[in-house]
Amino acid sequence: MATPDNTEIINSALDHIVAGYVFPQRAAEADRALRARLAAGEYDALSGAALCEAVTEHLQEACPDKHLRLLWQDEPQPLTAPADDGAGRAAFLALMRAENHGIHRTEQLDGNIGYLDVRCITDAGAGAHAIGAAMELVARTRALLLDLRKCRGGAPTGAAMWCSYFLPDDEVHLNDLYERSTDSTRQYWTLPYLPAPRYLDRPVYVLTSATTFSGGEDVAYTLQAHGRAEVVGETTRGGAHPTARHPVTEHITVTVPTAMSVNSVTGTNWEGVGVQPDRAVPAEKALGTAHEEARERWGQR
C-alpha cells in the first residue's frame, strides 16, 4: 500500500474536522485556512512529527481549540476506526486500572491536612471504588489539598463524581454537555450515592499548573464556580471540549472536539482561557503555599 502524501493526510484530517467539529462554522474557517496553506506549498518539505506540529499550530491559529490536533505516534496504529466507541472505552478503562484510576498518592500531611495527587480523571462506574477508597482515607482531615497539577484529562462522569464528594446532595446541577452528532445535551448533576462520606464543611484547595488539562480542568473549574474550592497555582491549559480520535495514517491521528461543556453557574467554560487561580503562584510552590495556609488556619495544633 502506497504511503499517503501530505495532501492526502491533510485532506483526510480536514474532512473529519468539517464532519464532526462541535462548531461547524469554525470548522469551515479552519478548513479554508489549511487548504490555502496546502495549496501554497507550506507543507511540502515537512513529514512525520514536524508535519503534525505545523498543522496543529495552524489549526489552532484558525480555530483556537487546544483539543484540535494532529498527533504523531512512533508506533503504528490500526487504520480502521472501531464501529463504535467500545474499543476506545475498553482501552481507556484498561489504562485507568493500570494507573490506579488516576490516584497517584494519598497522604495525611502535618496538621491533619489531607492530600490527594490525582493525575487522571477516571470513569465514574469503573473507578468509583478507587475514588471512594481515597476519599475514605482523607475523610477525617481538617482540610484537603486536591493536587491536579499533573492531571491531563479523563472522563466527564468521573469529574462529576469527584465534584459530588464536595457538594451536599444530589441536587446540584454541575454542567451540561452538548453533542453535535446527536444535537442533544446531557446534564451532569451531583450523585445521590457515593462509596465514601462526602467531604463537607471543610476547606478544599485545588492545585493547578499550566499543564492541567481537560478533565482536570473540569473538576477545578466546577468546584471554583460553585464556591467550594480555592484554586492555588497556575492558569490551566484551557481545553473544555470532549474529543473523538480518527486515524489518518498508521502514525497520524486527528483529534476532533465533538462536544461542548457549559457550566451551570457561569454559563460558559474554560476553553482557550484556562481555569484562573484564586491564588496565583508558580506550580512548584502551590503545594507548599496551600499546605501552609491550611495548617495555620484549619490544622490541628
Side-chain angles (χ1 to χ4, degrees), residues 16 20 67 69 179 241-247 253-259:
H16 286 298
H67 277 113
R69 296 172 291 178
E179 185 87 31
H241 298 152
T243 64
R245 290 173 172 249
H246 303 282
T253 299
V254 61
T255 66
V256 182
T258 58

Side-chain angles (χ1 to χ4, degrees), residues 10 15 29-30 56 58 76 96 108 119 153 155 165 169-170 188 192 213 256 275:
I10 293 170
D15 287 345
E29 293 169 359
T56 297
H58 296 154
M96 288 298 93
Q108 183 178 358
R119 302 194 176 183
Y165 274 98
D169 49 42
D170 61 346
Y188 287 85
F213 192 54
V256 182
V275 181

